[in-house]
């Protein structure tokens, strides 16, 4: 490893060097080499300030490592704070070890709240060692009750139960639904009701939702709006991934928001998503 390196926040003038680095270490990863997506994450993001939330290992002739943070507003303790979702953490092999750890600690020093997801086993070990709390065990325990062979039949059973319940609700004329290309105009009213009952979590106001879904260059999504008596009761954000060869399309539920405690609304909204996916020929 070269002894000459420094760690600093990335400047706008370093963008070409950053993408040269990404192409060297991730030549097959089209997402990491997509400048439009990078601009959306770190420049269009309404939570990003004047400085880029990206830190790099810099040598005299190149960038040899980088770590980024996607800032998001979170409701916590009766107020709103900015949390960092750490992402795009890569270093050249020669700079793994202490330089990589120093890069991570530089990110930590710039914000006290960090959230990590989709981590490799080695990253989990590193983060646990330096004091992060591993929340993945809860998900593992929940998923352990369904063995691999039972997943398909279990999901089919759940879908049947949901559709049966939704048909009963629909027959009473309680709910209406609409598929939209943009966030519903009255979304802020729904979000205000949700946040009063759920004081902890990401601040998903209209500004955040438009940035996260409408402005994202890599996802073509739609909004399913659920209403009752002309009042917006919930929304779901969905997308459809094209099928490969003889396989059907895949429906993806990106986000779902209803008031806490509105179990019938939740059931109806999930059922609306399943009906939408069926209409789009999803498996």
């Amino acid at each position: 490893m070269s002894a000459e390196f420094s760690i600093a926040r990335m400047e706008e003038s370093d963008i070409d060097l950053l993408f040269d680095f990404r192409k060297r270490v991730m030549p097959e990863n089209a997402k990491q080499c997509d400048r439009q997506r990078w601009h959306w994450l770190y420049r269009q993001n309404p939570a990003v300030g004047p400085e880029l939330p990206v830190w790099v290992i810099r040598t005299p002739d190149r960038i040899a490592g980088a770590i980024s943070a996607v800032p998001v507003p979170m409701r916590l303790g009766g107020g709103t704070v900015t949390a960092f979702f750490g992402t795009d953490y890569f270093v050249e092999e020669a700079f793994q070890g202490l330089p990589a750890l120093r890069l991570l600690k530089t990110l930590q020093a710039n914000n006290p709240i960090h959230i990590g997801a989709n981590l490799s086993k080695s990253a989990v070990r590193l983060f646990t060692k330096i004091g992060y709390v591993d929340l993945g065990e809860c998900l593992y325990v929940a998923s352990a009750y369904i063995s691999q062979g039972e997943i398909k039949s279990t999901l089919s059973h759940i879908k049947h139960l949901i559709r049966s319940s939704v048909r009963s609700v629909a027959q009473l004329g309680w709910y209406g639904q609409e598929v939209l290309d943009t966030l519903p105009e009255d979304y802020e009213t729904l979000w205000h009701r949700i946040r009063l009952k759920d004081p902890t979590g990401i601040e998903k106001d209209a500004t955040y939702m438009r940035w996260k879904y409408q402005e994202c260059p890599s996802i073509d999504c739609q909004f399913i709006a659920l209403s009752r008596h002309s009042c917006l009761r919930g929304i779901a954000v969905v997308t459809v991934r094209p099928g490969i060869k003889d396989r059907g399309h895949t429906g993806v539920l990106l986000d779902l928001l209803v008031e806490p405690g509105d179990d019938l609304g939740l059931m109806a909204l999930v059922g609306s998503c399943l009906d939408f996916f069926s209409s789009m020929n999803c498996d």
Side-chain angles (χ1 to χ4, degrees), residues 11 39 47 77 93 108 121 138 142 153 178 180 219 225 267:
E11 303 288 343
H39 185 80
E93 185 175 356
Q108 288 180 302
K121 290 182 179 180
C138 298
S153 61
E178 187 177 10
L180 306 169
I219 298 177
M267 188 74 74

Side-chain angles (χ1 to χ4, degrees), residues 196-216:
L196 286 177
K197 297 180 180 180
D198 186 10
T200 303
I202 295 176
E203 182 63 32
K204 296 184 177 182
D205 59 13
T207 298
Y208 173 86
M209 293 292 284
R210 290 191 184 100
W211 167 75
K212 180 71 179 291
Y213 299 115
Q214 284 182 214
E215 298 173 13
C216 179

